[in-house]
Amino acid sequence: MLGPLLFVVLAFSIYYKVRNQASLQEAKDLLSGALSNDNIPVIILLLTLVAINWGIEARKWHVLVKRIQPVNYFTAYKAVLSGVSLSLFVPNGIGDYAGRLVYMNEGNRLKSITLTLVGSMAQLIVTLSAGLAGLLYLKNGSWANLEQFKGLSVFLVNGIIFMIAAGSLLLLVIFFKLNWLTIMFEKIPFVHKYRFMVEYLETISRKDLTRILSLSAGRYCIFIVQYIAMLHIFSVQLGTADAIATIAVLFLVLAILPTIPVADLGMRGEAGLQLFGLLSLNKLGIIATTAGIWLINLILPAVAGSLFILGIKLFRNR
């Protein structure tokens, strides 16, 4: 119930901010321009990157779970998209894990959750690190003379930057020292019986961990390219460096704020307006950009994933 309510609140907030700028005709003109023949190659690129994006995530999962159960790459791809489908109505990506579990054999399912968390941790490390770089760039550049920031305490801003940096570094250390978790499970009596869930972390080599982190960085670059392409389609004029830095900060904000994906459009739209709105007056284009990214990166894969889940149910019923 909270997700739909949050979506409604944020939707009204966004509407209030753009109603004085955009008439219905302006919205139609924007959409018409976005779907013009000139943008067809960009749209094809965007859709291709969606497939590559989730393909990389499937490869990450494929590399991680092979140590407990061999799965082919296509099965890994189906598992990832099934997780996207289930995660739409569950907070913090819990459905993502549930969707992948159904492709694992009984006895391996709980073990696979921990391995899936490793892939999520790698993505979070990349998001925090890139977001920190983007925040530092904007703080010392395009944001330096903005009225909105002149009243902010330097101590407060630097404190936020320090916490993000410390969090990123801590996660990176834990990521490359996963065997610490198995030691911890051995030392603490009341969690010792769950050691089987983390024992396979010791078998992940530094080479595989580096590969997972590299794949996560590759996914992140795809996200950046998608956002820049979508900004171009909806005529949001920003310098390339400013655009990349703002996108990185947006991803940082979305990673920190817990939300339910069905309400995620409202959250993305509000965060996008606050951040991109500092450097661009095209509020309607900003909203359209965030909605477009949400549609192609979450809704379309979720539809495909729901078909895979349906296929599993039909197969099992037979």
Side-chain angles (χ1 to χ4, degrees):
M1 185 65 188
L2 181 60
L5 179 61
L6 180 60
F7 172 79
V8 171
V9 172
L10 290 172
F12 271 106
S13 173
I14 292 168
Y15 169 74
Y16 176 80
K17 291 183 179 181
V18 301
R19 65 176 183 176
N20 293 327
Q21 178 195 338
S23 66
L24 180 60
Q25 186 58 46
E26 287 174 323
K28 289 179 178 179
D29 291 342
L30 182 69
L31 184 60
S32 176
L35 298 177
S36 67
N37 291 335
D38 291 341
N39 284 329
I40 294 300
V42 182
I43 293 172
I44 293 174
L45 172 65
L46 281 168
L47 295 176
T48 302
L49 289 176
V50 171
I52 296 173
N53 171 25
W54 292 110
I56 294 175
E57 179 63 21
R59 178 58 180 162
K60 285 168 56 180
W61 194 67
H62 181 255
V63 169
L64 287 167
V65 300
K66 68 180 181 182
R67 62 205 73 251
I68 61 171
Q69 178 182 318
V71 294
N72 62 52
Y73 179 73
F74 183 60
T75 299
Y77 207 114
K78 291 192 295 183
V80 166
L81 293 186
S82 297
V84 176
S85 180
L86 290 180
S87 69
L88 277 183
F89 300 96
V90 182
N92 296 334
I94 295 173
D96 188 39
Y97 300 98
R100 302 183 192 197
L101 288 183
V102 298
Y103 292 89
M104 303 301 293
N105 296 333
E106 193 70 36
N108 291 332
R109 291 176 178 172
L110 290 179
K111 298 174 185 177
S112 72
I113 291 177
T114 312
L115 293 170
T116 303
L117 275 169
V118 174
S120 299
M121 183 187 296
Q123 201 66 56
L124 181 58
I125 290 170
V126 173
T127 301
L128 292 178
S129 301
L132 175 63
L135 189 59
L136 287 170
Y137 174 84
L138 291 170
K139 171 182 173 288
N140 297 312
S142 302
W143 289 358
N145 297 316
L146 290 178
E147 289 294 331
Q148 296 93 322
F149 294 94
K150 287 184 178 178
L152 287 179
S153 166
V154 174
F155 177 79
L156 174 63
V157 174
N158 289 339
I160 293 172
I161 291 173
F162 175 78
M163 286 190 293
I164 296 170
S168 303
L169 182 60
L170 178 62
L171 280 176
L172 188 62
V173 171
I174 293 173
F175 183 75
F176 281 106
K177 293 290 185 180
L178 291 174
N179 59 310
W180 290 357
L181 292 178
T182 59
I183 295 173
M184 182 190 71
F185 271 63
E186 289 175 347
K187 299 292 185 182
I188 304 175
F190 62 89
V191 297
H192 178 73
K193 62 181 178 179
Y194 300 108
R195 188 186 186 282
F196 72 95
M197 292 183 64
V198 299
E199 60 186 358
Y200 284 93
L201 296 181
E202 294 180 339
T203 68
I204 308 177
S205 66
R206 184 176 291 271
K207 179 181 177 182
D208 276 347
L209 287 172
T210 303
R211 183 188 304 176
I212 296 300
L213 199 59
S214 298
L215 288 170
S216 299
R219 282 194 74 204
Y220 193 89
C221 290
I222 287 176
F223 289 139
I224 295 291
V225 172
Q226 285 179 316
Y227 237 104
I228 290 175
M230 199 69 80
L231 288 169
H232 169 76
I233 286 176
F234 290 109
S235 302
V236 179
Q237 303 297 325
L238 286 175
T240 302
D242 284 343
I244 293 174
T246 304
I247 294 165
V249 174
L250 174 62
F251 288 156
L252 172 67
V253 171
L254 294 176
I256 293 174
L257 293 178
T259 185
I260 299 172
V262 75
D264 198 32
L265 176 58
M267 185 69 74
R268 285 170 181 265
E270 181 66 23
L273 273 176
Q274 294 295 333
L275 292 171
F276 287 105
L278 295 173
L279 303 175
S280 173
L281 297 176
N282 186 0
K283 291 184 172 60
L284 186 58
I286 294 169
I287 294 298
T289 295
T290 53
I293 293 293
W294 181 78
L295 176 66
I296 65 171
N297 274 347
L298 285 176
I299 301 305
L300 293 182
V303 171
S306 66
L307 296 177
F308 289 133
I309 293 173
L310 178 62
I312 293 172
K313 290 181 178 179
L314 289 175
F315 180 77
R316 290 182 176 174
N317 288 339
R318 291 182 180 180

